[in-house]
Amino acid sequence: MELKRILWPTDLSGNAEKALSYVTSLSQKYQMEIHMLYVIEELGIHEPWYGIFDDEHIKKIHDWEEKKAKERLDNICAEYLKGCPLYIKHVAIGDPAEEILQFISKEKIDMVVMAKKGRKGKFAFGSVTEKVVKNAPVPVVTVPA
């Protein structure tokens, strides 16, 4: 089996960060590209809270979150991924599990390494991780949070 591309989906939480050492180790050992994916949850599909947000307001929130996510991903690259052959940052908007699964196919990912639960995880296994593990067409390594 040839491994070229590894995906690290992250919600930028401390739990997600725990998978990073596995990602960097695999990348260095097999000279793999690291694709980092942060998914902004689509706000337009939720019921209004604290009043109704128009499309322009939702776009401003998404733009702000995308800017902050890119800054955080840049910091992660500078701090943790210096020895890796190639890392590529991606930001998407939508349902996290769906976006991860679509990304795997679109970018021809060979392996996914992710935390067992993310920022919102209240249980031992997060819902996004569960959906990815059950539906991914490639091996998924889960790292305890």
Side-chain angles (χ1 to χ4, degrees), residues 7-13 16 35-43 45-46 61-62 65-66 68-70 73 89-104 106 114 119-120 128 132:
L7 172 61
W8 176 54
T10 179
D11 62 0
L12 302 171
S13 68
H35 290 263
M36 300 178 291
L37 176 63
Y38 176 77
V39 180
I40 299 167
E41 288 192 60
E42 174 59 64
L43 297 175
I45 61 169
H46 297 290
I61 293 171
H62 284 163
E65 188 169 355
E66 181 175 1
K68 291 300 176 187
K70 286 180 178 179
L73 290 172
K89 302 170 290 238
H90 306 271
V91 176
I93 298 174
D95 175 76
E98 288 178 20
E99 292 296 324
I100 292 166
L101 293 167
Q102 288 173 12
F103 188 88
I104 291 168
K106 182 176 84 177
M114 63 191 302
R119 158 179 68 222
K120 297 179 188 175
V128 172
V132 172

Side-chain angles (χ1 to χ4, degrees), residues 51-144:
I52 297 175
F53 292 163
D54 60 14
D55 289 341
E56 184 179 328
H57 189 77
I58 290 172
K59 183 175 177 354
K60 284 181 184 177
I61 293 171
H62 284 163
D63 289 347
W64 177 85
E65 188 169 355
E66 181 175 1
K67 178 183 173 209
K68 291 300 176 187
K70 286 180 178 179
E71 288 173 5
R72 296 271 313 274
L73 290 172
D74 286 343
N75 290 340
I76 289 167
C77 289
E79 189 172 335
Y80 297 103
L81 302 176
K82 292 175 194 161
C84 296
L86 178 64
Y87 45 87
I88 304 165
K89 302 170 290 238
H90 306 271
V91 176
I93 298 174
D95 175 76
E98 288 178 20
E99 292 296 324
I100 292 166
L101 293 167
Q102 288 173 12
F103 188 88
I104 291 168
S105 297
K106 182 176 84 177
E107 295 293 331
K108 297 178 176 61
I109 298 298
D110 300 307
M111 173 185 279
V112 178
V113 177
M114 63 191 302
K116 282 177 71 175
K117 65 181 179 178
R119 158 179 68 222
K120 297 179 188 175
K122 295 180 182 118
F123 301 100
F125 212 75
S127 62
V128 172
T129 304
E130 181 180 8
K131 290 173 189 173
V132 172
V133 167
K134 287 182 176 180
N135 296 289
V138 297
V140 179
V141 176
T142 59
V143 177

